């Protein structure tokens, strides 16, 4: 592991396009992308030729640099190639989570003023948009398609892309898909370059290394560190195209044996809770672990089995995107499992905090990364939690078409107010203590905004008030409806409660899969409110 020294990137030329040209030229005949479990694979040379063909198609469509191109599909090699093509053309890429509903995808397409969306057939037939099918790169309702015979003689030396300016808009990443609260995070090229340079400083990857992309690439955590950095280094990236259940993920890790494991906490938590804890709680194992010499041998065996279950070939396991269960983390630390926990947010593209596992401090989320500053707004940051504020190269330009929220998020001195509460020890380790904002984190790392779910509930159901809370990995809607409203609909309280499953199913059709409700609970009285008539949310969460 080489810390603080750039190995692969030319820091005198802070250009992501230059990095792309370099990796394509240097790794022309190496494998770049494979869809795990299929025969679909592309070399770096193949990727360069497909980029050139897509550029040809973009010109035919009259697209220009600076236009926005949306991208919506589950992880696959064609997602990666479509991104590279749009990005290197000079377009602003708008990645959209494939779990969003059609209505939300349409809202983002419209709000972003995208000129094209590259997506799968699942979405194409339902969108009012200019659509390029991602499976074969053909246009919906148009005869245009990329010429597969073109650019077969393209040479590495001929790969040249435009040169970006650091503060120009590169990526528009939406944290929400609803109409009223859509927040498009405007990430400049400097943010992407800085995140890539951080990874080059911190992670010891080499051309030809095998990696497995599990996290959604439309989410900045997966985009930056499960996909783009590996490509720029020359790795062979395998895409898990299936739903990442623990069983599917473990088999893929064992087959591919990646050099690094990048996951959300849910994966490790399920493995430890379902496979390891039941064994440790057996009476005879508890007795054996009470004996110091035997305890260490048992822990060493468990560590090795867990390590091998994840491929047995990785330097460290990087965990991020959601809060990590303390009990599971304590156990991983106890058995000396090589894990670390990072901290970031979409608005920083995403990295803010990280530390190598060998010096990582349990319970923290690392230290401030290069080219970033972090402060804790507290009179005593080591003991009294305060809001994390940060500034530096990674910070966004602001929220698209939302000057008010931009002004609230970034102050006059350039500090981004994260909404997260933390303490910081004397060594600079950051310890998250809570969230100032109401945002919830889904089990797979997605940002969940309860106000948006609540808005859907009160708009599309009989319920007049609601508060969405998180219990474990599940979302529960606490709801209230008055007697007068029930009477208007010819219902009794008993009849309402008998139909809660119906309301849940109906509402879930309007929500992205990661924001589905697991239960609805009817409150007998109105929610307590402030003088301004805002619900006192803290009383119910």
């Amino acid at each position: 592991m080489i810390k603080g020294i750039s190995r692969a990137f030319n820091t005198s030329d802070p250009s992501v396009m230059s990095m792309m040209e370099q990796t394509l030229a240097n790794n022309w005949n190496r494998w770049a992308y494979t869809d795990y479990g299929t025969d679909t694979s592309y070399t770096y040379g193949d990727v360069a030729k497909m980029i050139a063909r897509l550029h040809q198609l973009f010109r035919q469509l009259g697209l220009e640099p600076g236009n926005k191109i949306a991208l919506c599909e589950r992880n696959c090699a064609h997602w990666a190639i479509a991104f590279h093509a749009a990005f290197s053309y000079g377009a602003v890429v708008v990645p959209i989570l494939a779990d969003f509903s059609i209505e939300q995808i349409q809202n983002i397409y419209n709000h972003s003023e995208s000129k094209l969306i590259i997506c799968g057939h699942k979405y194409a037939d339902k969108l009012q948009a200019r659509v390029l099918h991602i499976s074969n790169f053909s246009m919906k309702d148009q005869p245009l398609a990329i010429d597969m015979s073109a650019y077969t003689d393209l040479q590495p030396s001929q790969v040249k892309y435009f040169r970006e300016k650091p503060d120009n808009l590169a990526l528009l990443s939406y944290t929400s898909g609803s109409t009223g609260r859509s927040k498009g995070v405007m990430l400049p090229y400097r943010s992407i370059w800085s995140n890539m340079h951080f990874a080059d400083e911190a992670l010891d990857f080499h051309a030809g290394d095998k990696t497995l992309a599990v996290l959604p690439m439309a989410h900045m955590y997966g985009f930056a560190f499960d996909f783009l950095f590996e490509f720029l280094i020359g790795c062979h990236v395998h895409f898990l195209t299936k739903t990442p259940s623990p069983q599917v993920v473990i088999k893929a890790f064992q087959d591919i044996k990646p050099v690094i494991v990048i996951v959300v906490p849910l994966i490790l938590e399920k493995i430890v809770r379902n496979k390891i804890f039941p064994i440790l709680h057996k009476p005879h194992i508890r007795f054996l672990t009470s004996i110091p010499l035997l305890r260490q041998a048992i822990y060493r065996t468990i560590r090795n089995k867990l390590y091998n279950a994840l491929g047995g070939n990785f330097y460290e396991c990087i965990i991020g995107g959601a809060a990590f269960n303390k009990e599971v983390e304590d156990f991983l630390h106890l058995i000396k499992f090589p894990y670390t926990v990072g901290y970031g947010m979409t608005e920083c593209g995403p990295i803010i905090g990280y530390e190598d596992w060998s010096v990582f401090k349990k319970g923290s989320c690392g230290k401030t990364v290069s080219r970033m500053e972090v402060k804790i707004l507290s009179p005593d940051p080591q003991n009294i939690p305060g809001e994390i504020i940060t500034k530096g190269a990674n910070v966004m330009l602001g929220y698209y078409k939302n000057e008010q929220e931009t002004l609230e998020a970034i102050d006059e001195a350039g500090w981004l107010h994260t909404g997260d509460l933390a303490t910081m020890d004397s060594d600079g380790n950051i310890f998250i203590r809570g969230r100032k904002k109401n945002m919830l984190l889904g089990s797979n790392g997605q940002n969940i905004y309860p106000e948006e779910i609540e808005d859907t509930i009160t708009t599309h159901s009989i319920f007049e008030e609601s508060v969405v809370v998180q219990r474990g990995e599940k979302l529960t809607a606490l709801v209230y409806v008055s007697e007068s409203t029930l009477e208007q609909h010819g219902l009794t309280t008993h009849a309402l409660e008998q139909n809660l499953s119906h309301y849940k199913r109906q509402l879930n059709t309007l929500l992205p899969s990661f924001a589905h409700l697991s239960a609805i609970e009817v409150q007998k009285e109105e929610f307590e409110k402030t003088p301004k008539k805002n619900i006192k949310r803290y009383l119910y969460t």
Side-chain angles (χ1 to χ4, degrees), residues 9 19 23 28 49 106 138 144 243 248 272 405 440 462 477 494 496 514 535:
F9 298 158
M19 295 177 187
T23 194
W28 197 260
K49 292 170 185 177
Q106 185 73 59
S138 64
L144 295 176
T243 302
V248 170
V272 172
E405 292 222 30
L440 305 175
I462 193 175
H494 177 73
L496 177 72
F514 60 78
I535 294 172

Side-chain angles (χ1 to χ4, degrees), residues 286-323:
R286 294 179 69 174
F287 171 74
L288 292 174
T289 55
S290 68
I291 304 171
L293 289 177
L294 292 178
R295 179 171 61 244
Q296 294 307 314
I298 291 171
Y299 287 166
R300 186 164 53 249
T301 300
I302 291 173
R303 177 196 182 279
N304 292 340
K305 285 189 175 182
L306 180 56
Y307 184 80
N308 291 330
L310 297 175
N313 189 44
F314 59 94
Y315 172 75
E316 70 179 358
C317 176
I318 301 177
I319 301 163

Side-chain angles (χ1 to χ4, degrees), residues 362-537:
K362 181 173 70 75
S364 77
C365 54
K367 299 177 181 176
T368 308
V369 300
S370 302
R371 293 168 299 283
M372 292 293 285
E373 298 176 62
V374 165
K375 289 183 181 179
I376 309 296
L377 295 182
S378 166
D380 182 4
Q382 292 190 38
N383 299 295
I384 301 174
E387 184 180 11
I388 299 173
I389 61 172
T390 185
K391 72 175 179 177
N394 297 5
V395 175
M396 67 173 179
L397 299 171
Y399 295 114
Y400 188 59
K401 296 181 182 176
N402 201 331
E403 185 178 356
Q404 182 59 41
E405 292 222 30
T406 299
L407 291 173
E408 291 175 5
I410 303 176
D411 65 28
E412 293 180 354
W415 289 96
L416 172 67
H417 292 245
T418 68
D420 295 324
L421 300 173
T423 55
M424 182 186 289
D425 69 15
S426 58
D427 295 322
N429 294 294
I430 303 166
F431 297 83
I432 302 293
R433 303 302 185 189
R435 304 204 175 271
K436 183 179 178 182
K437 300 176 182 178
N438 297 326
M439 186 191 79
L440 305 175
L441 286 171
S443 58
N444 285 327
Q446 304 96 333
N447 293 348
I448 299 174
Y449 295 85
E451 293 93 339
E452 296 179 358
I453 305 175
E454 291 154 11
D455 183 65
T456 299
I457 292 170
T458 54
T459 301
H460 298 283
S461 74
I462 193 175
F463 306 116
E464 298 165 74
E465 297 177 354
S466 67
V467 173
V468 172
V469 299
Q470 195 169 32
R471 294 175 178 168
E473 300 167 9
K474 306 295 185 181
L475 296 177
T476 296
L478 310 179
V479 298
Y480 171 76
V481 57
S482 66
E483 288 291 338
S484 60
T485 299
L486 286 175
E487 289 175 6
Q488 290 174 15
H489 289 81
L491 291 172
T492 64
T493 302
H494 177 73
L496 177 72
E497 292 182 342
Q498 291 295 307
N499 281 290
L500 289 181
S501 59
H502 165 73
Y503 288 114
K504 184 181 72 173
R505 286 194 300 270
Q506 183 184 49
L507 290 166
N508 281 342
T509 64
L510 304 172
L511 297 167
S513 59
F514 60 78
H516 278 186
L517 299 170
S518 64
I520 297 176
E521 295 178 6
V522 179
Q523 308 295 296
K524 294 181 179 180
E525 298 178 354
E526 285 189 46
F527 294 98
E528 289 193 37
K529 301 178 181 67
T530 66
K532 292 184 177 181
K533 300 302 181 183
N534 293 323
I535 294 172
K536 294 181 178 179
R537 181 180 295 272

Side-chain angles (χ1 to χ4, degrees), residues 220-411:
M220 286 311 300
Y221 178 30
F223 170 85
F225 305 127
D226 227 6
F227 152 61
L228 186 58
F229 174 69
E230 285 83 344
F231 171 79
L232 295 176
I233 289 294
C235 295
H236 181 186
V237 182
H238 297 74
F239 296 108
L240 188 69
T241 56
K242 299 179 181 179
T243 302
S245 68
Q247 292 79 9
V248 170
V249 169
I250 286 174
K251 185 178 187 307
F253 276 127
Q254 291 175 343
D255 289 345
I256 295 164
K257 296 177 170 50
V259 297
I260 198 162
V261 172
I262 300 177
V263 293
V264 292
L266 177 66
I267 300 297
L268 279 181
E269 289 173 4
K270 284 195 171 181
I271 294 171
V272 172
R273 287 187 178 280
N274 297 340
K275 303 293 184 183
I276 298 176
F277 281 173
I279 296 172
L280 289 174
H281 293 155
K282 290 181 178 179
H284 69 286
I285 297 295
R286 294 179 69 174
F287 171 74
L288 292 174
T289 55
S290 68
I291 304 171
L293 289 177
L294 292 178
R295 179 171 61 244
Q296 294 307 314
I298 291 171
Y299 287 166
R300 186 164 53 249
T301 300
I302 291 173
R303 177 196 182 279
N304 292 340
K305 285 189 175 182
L306 180 56
Y307 184 80
N308 291 330
L310 297 175
N313 189 44
F314 59 94
Y315 172 75
E316 70 179 358
C317 176
I318 301 177
I319 301 163
F324 196 21
N325 178 267
K326 185 178 184 301
E327 182 184 20
V328 173
E329 182 177 5
D330 286 345
F331 176 73
L332 293 179
H333 182 77
L334 187 66
I335 65 173
K336 296 181 173 59
F337 187 76
Y339 81 96
T340 186
V341 179
Y343 170 60
M345 59 191 304
T346 301
E347 286 84 346
C348 289
I351 199 67
I352 298 173
Y354 165 86
E355 186 59 279
D356 186 88
W357 84 271
S358 62
V359 289
F360 171 75
K361 193 163 185 178
K362 181 173 70 75
S364 77
C365 54
K367 299 177 181 176
T368 308
V369 300
S370 302
R371 293 168 299 283
M372 292 293 285
E373 298 176 62
V374 165
K375 289 183 181 179
I376 309 296
L377 295 182
S378 166
D380 182 4
Q382 292 190 38
N383 299 295
I384 301 174
E387 184 180 11
I388 299 173
I389 61 172
T390 185
K391 72 175 179 177
N394 297 5
V395 175
M396 67 173 179
L397 299 171
Y399 295 114
Y400 188 59
K401 296 181 182 176
N402 201 331
E403 185 178 356
Q404 182 59 41
E405 292 222 30
T406 299
L407 291 173
E408 291 175 5
I410 303 176
D411 65 28

